[in-house]
Amino acid sequence: MSDASRVVLGLGGCVDYELKLTADVLEQLITSYGIRAAELTSPPAVVSSERDLVVSILGYVARGGGGEHFVASAPALSTFADRFAHRTTLGGTSVRAGLLLDRLGIPSALHLVTVNDDFRRLLPAGGEWFNSGTEDTFFPHLIVQFDQGLHVRAGDLDLTSPFPNRLIYVNDPANEIMLLTDDLGSRLSRASVFLISGFNAMRDETLLDSRLAALREHMRQLPADAVTYFEDAAYHEPAFSARVRAALLDRIDVYGLNEDELQTYLGRTVDLLSPAEVADALAALSKLIPAPILVLHTKYWALAYGADAASYTDAVDAGIVMAATRYVHGDDMTRADGEELRTRRRRAESVVFATALADRLGEVVSCRPAFQLDVANPTTVGLGDTFVGGFLSAIAGKAHR
């Protein structure tokens, strides 16, 4: 049995075009498309053109938010990307988590639904992966980063981003289909850790139900002591989120999500530094998603919530350390960078919050504060994926329920 077979990461992956927004290009687009400030309050439900894409992006920049969307027009993605300096990377929660694990010296096996020359060039040499597709496919995702303080002024628009963040725009038939390999079950029979992600890209209800049923059948071969981690995401068809939970929740040990997904589910904003508001949010979330352990990762802190929360403290902290290391060092991060970052100060307000939340909720919560970081050019892409990779690094080979 190969060591990689102990950690199976799925279910999809992609090539990313990463870029950082600049005010001059955005202002030119606002002017040429005649975009008005009022449009940002009700962005298009379907992104079907580059103009729609710009309106959607500006709405997020104005509030410093992050998100993910299906784009009906694939050419709009490449047209927009070509207006900026951009680079080609690999994305998807499972792929980025696997890349981190490789840097930490922890082997894993990746289940992919699309492969091409970029994958072969950028995946770790000697890494283990298996692909459900029968031929090469290429459906790049647009990953948009913006800095805190990005100021855009054109027409009647005058906005400044209050936070740095990232946006994901997708037109990807391979991940929409999410074909599973026939041998996934046999691979899972040897696994101690299984990561599930990627169903958020699917758009056909019948096909989704078929894939979920097939995955459940494959998961029957998981060892009883394996840990199954499910990472949530923004669903291109929002109603599908409930279908996925209904199909898989009884087989999930740890259910992870970020602050954007939390607030979407609750239908309200949550003050992430208010122990009372977060406690109420966790109570409401646990009724909607009654997983044994909920993991919530935010820019201020991350936590595990559930009866066995304390046993995941080290995993939560490892996730925070690795995400913070990526924030500072980007794709060039090393294990040594992570060890150095671990020694830095935590955010004062986050330390106060974590203590107060523990006083309020007791042993059902284990919260770790984020780091105090002042970075001129932070990396905002892949932080959640890197958190997942860090979390899994702490439990790989030591699965428990």
Side-chain angles (χ1 to χ4, degrees):
M1 177 175 67
S2 72
D3 290 337
S5 65
R6 301 283 293 169
V7 180
V8 179
L9 307 174
L11 295 160
C14 58
V15 171
D16 285 341
Y17 285 162
E18 291 186 20
L19 61 84
K20 181 166 287 189
L21 296 176
T22 60
D24 57 341
V25 175
L26 287 175
E27 288 166 355
Q28 292 169 12
L29 289 167
I30 291 167
T31 300
S32 62
Y33 281 128
I35 295 171
R36 309 291 294 175
E39 297 180 68
L40 274 55
T41 61
S42 56
V46 177
V47 178
S48 57
S49 66
E50 187 185 30
R51 188 186 193 280
D52 290 344
L53 181 61
V54 175
V55 172
S56 175
I57 289 170
L58 289 170
Y60 281 106
V61 171
R63 60 182 184 275
E68 179 171 345
H69 292 276
F70 168 74
V71 176
S73 169
L77 298 178
S78 56
T79 298
F80 186 84
D82 287 342
R83 297 183 185 276
F84 299 83
H86 63 270
R87 63 195 189 104
T88 300
T89 62
L90 297 183
T93 295
S94 56
V95 173
R96 288 193 187 277
L99 292 174
L100 174 66
L101 291 175
D102 178 74
R103 292 195 177 212
L104 296 177
I106 300 172
S108 63
L110 283 169
H111 179 290
L112 302 173
V113 297
T114 178
V115 170
N116 48 58
D117 288 342
D118 285 323
F119 267 98
R120 297 184 187 93
R121 175 173 57 88
L122 295 172
L123 283 174
E128 185 174 334
W129 53 268
F130 52 111
N131 178 35
S132 63
T134 58
E135 59 184 20
D136 281 16
T137 53
F138 184 68
F139 308 111
H141 296 198
L142 177 65
I143 313 297
V144 177
Q145 299 182 82
F146 55 88
D147 292 333
Q148 180 177 355
L150 175 64
H151 182 220
V152 179
R153 184 175 184 179
D156 68 342
L157 274 163
D158 190 348
L159 58 90
T160 302
S161 177
F163 304 106
N165 221 315
R166 66 90 182 100
L167 306 168
I168 304 171
Y169 292 92
V170 180
N171 184 303
D172 186 343
N175 278 279
E176 285 181 31
I177 294 171
M178 194 56 70
L179 182 65
L180 305 180
T181 63
D182 292 337
D183 67 344
L184 177 58
S186 64
R187 290 175 179 273
L188 292 180
S189 70
R190 305 185 296 274
S192 60
V193 176
F194 179 38
L195 169 64
I196 304 173
S197 65
F199 282 119
N200 62 300
M202 296 193 69
R203 302 180 63 244
D204 181 281
E205 182 178 296
T206 301
L207 190 59
L208 173 65
D209 290 345
S210 174
R211 296 292 185 259
L212 291 169
L215 180 61
R216 282 191 65 89
E217 190 62 29
H218 287 300
M219 291 175 69
R220 288 166 61 90
Q221 298 190 51
L222 275 167
D225 60 350
V227 171
T228 299
Y229 183 112
F230 180 95
E231 179 67 6
D232 212 333
Y235 280 75
H236 301 177
E237 297 290 336
F240 286 5
S241 175
R243 298 185 77 85
V244 173
R245 291 198 305 275
L248 298 179
L249 202 54
D250 66 321
R251 300 304 314 274
I252 293 169
D253 301 299
V254 181
Y255 191 109
L257 69 166
N258 66 24
E259 64 243 58
D260 296 323
E261 290 139 14
L262 166 73
Q263 292 171 126
T264 296
Y265 285 135
L266 299 184
R268 66 176 188 269
T269 58
V270 176
D271 182 347
L272 297 174
L273 292 174
S274 165
E277 286 196 30
V278 172
D280 288 346
L282 289 171
L285 185 67
S286 65
K287 291 179 180 178
L288 177 68
I289 308 174
I293 292 292
L294 289 171
V295 168
L296 179 59
H297 45 97
T298 79
K299 58 180 168 284
Y300 297 115
W301 43 262
L303 61 79
Y305 180 77
D308 197 26
S311 67
Y312 289 94
T313 300
D314 289 345
V316 169
D317 203 57
I320 289 177
V321 170
M322 291 298 101
T325 306
R326 179 172 177 80
Y327 183 85
V328 174
H329 297 283
D331 284 333
D332 296 328
M333 64 181 284
T334 65
R335 175 184 283 186
D337 291 331
E339 292 303 316
E340 183 278 327
L341 194 137
R342 190 183 293 275
T343 66
R344 297 195 188 190
R345 275 193 312 121
R346 307 277 175 150
R347 297 179 69 138
E349 69 272 35
S350 299
V351 172
V352 171
F353 168 86
T355 301
L357 189 69
D359 290 343
R360 179 179 289 266
L361 295 180
E363 294 182 355
V364 298
V365 70
S366 179
C367 183
R368 297 292 294 146
F371 291 89
Q372 180 66 50
L373 302 173
D374 185 10
V375 183
N377 294 295
T379 296
T380 56
V381 172
L383 299 183
D385 305 334
T386 304
F387 173 89
V388 173
F391 187 100
L392 296 180
S393 76
I395 62 173
K398 298 181 293 184
H400 58 280
R401 288 185 183 274

